Amino acid sequence: MKKIMLCCNAGMSTSLLVQKMQANVKERGLDIEIEARPMNEARDHLDGVDILLLGPQIGYAKGDFEKDVAGRIPVEVIPMADYGRMNAAGIIDAAVAKMA
């Protein structure tokens, strides 16, 4: 099973997106677990995660997270258009491609 972590400022804005992504994963029969964490908690929960997706509002922190993971996993910023449209399928497809 692959694990995707979404991260944003307080964990609130991604909760709806995570619900949509979880429904999409279930619908498609993918073996992927998805969770959301606020930025101040994410660093403590990176073990076992296969990719870290950052909300566009914290894209500025990508470099810091890349240092934290030291190349173990990809760190990506969700495109503003996909985030705004809650494009669960597109975000999942992009994450799967980066985890491959």
Side-chain angles (χ1 to χ4, degrees):
M1 172 178 287
K2 296 288 187 181
K3 187 171 183 179
I4 297 172
M5 182 191 294
L6 275 71
C7 180
C8 70
N9 271 332
M12 301 305 281
S13 58
T14 54
S15 62
L16 180 60
L17 179 57
V18 166
Q19 289 173 6
K20 285 182 168 267
M21 289 174 71
Q22 288 169 335
N24 188 275
V25 161
K26 188 175 181 182
E27 209 174 89
R28 293 162 65 180
L30 300 173
D31 195 17
I32 298 174
E33 181 184 328
I34 302 166
E35 68 174 356
R37 298 259 178 203
M39 195 162 83
N40 62 349
E41 282 182 23
R43 285 180 176 85
D44 298 331
H45 298 275
L46 291 170
D47 289 342
V49 171
D50 295 292
I51 188 169
L52 177 63
L53 301 180
L54 305 178
Q57 70 276 31
I58 61 162
Y60 66 86
K62 182 178 180 189
D64 292 336
F65 278 106
E66 285 176 331
K67 286 179 193 153
D68 292 341
V69 302
R72 291 189 325 263
I73 61 169
V75 177
E76 299 294 327
V77 178
I78 300 170
M80 181 63 84
D82 285 340
Y83 192 85
R85 290 188 188 109
M86 296 276 160
N87 180 7
I91 294 167
I92 292 166
D93 290 344
V96 167
K98 294 284 183 183
M99 289 188 288

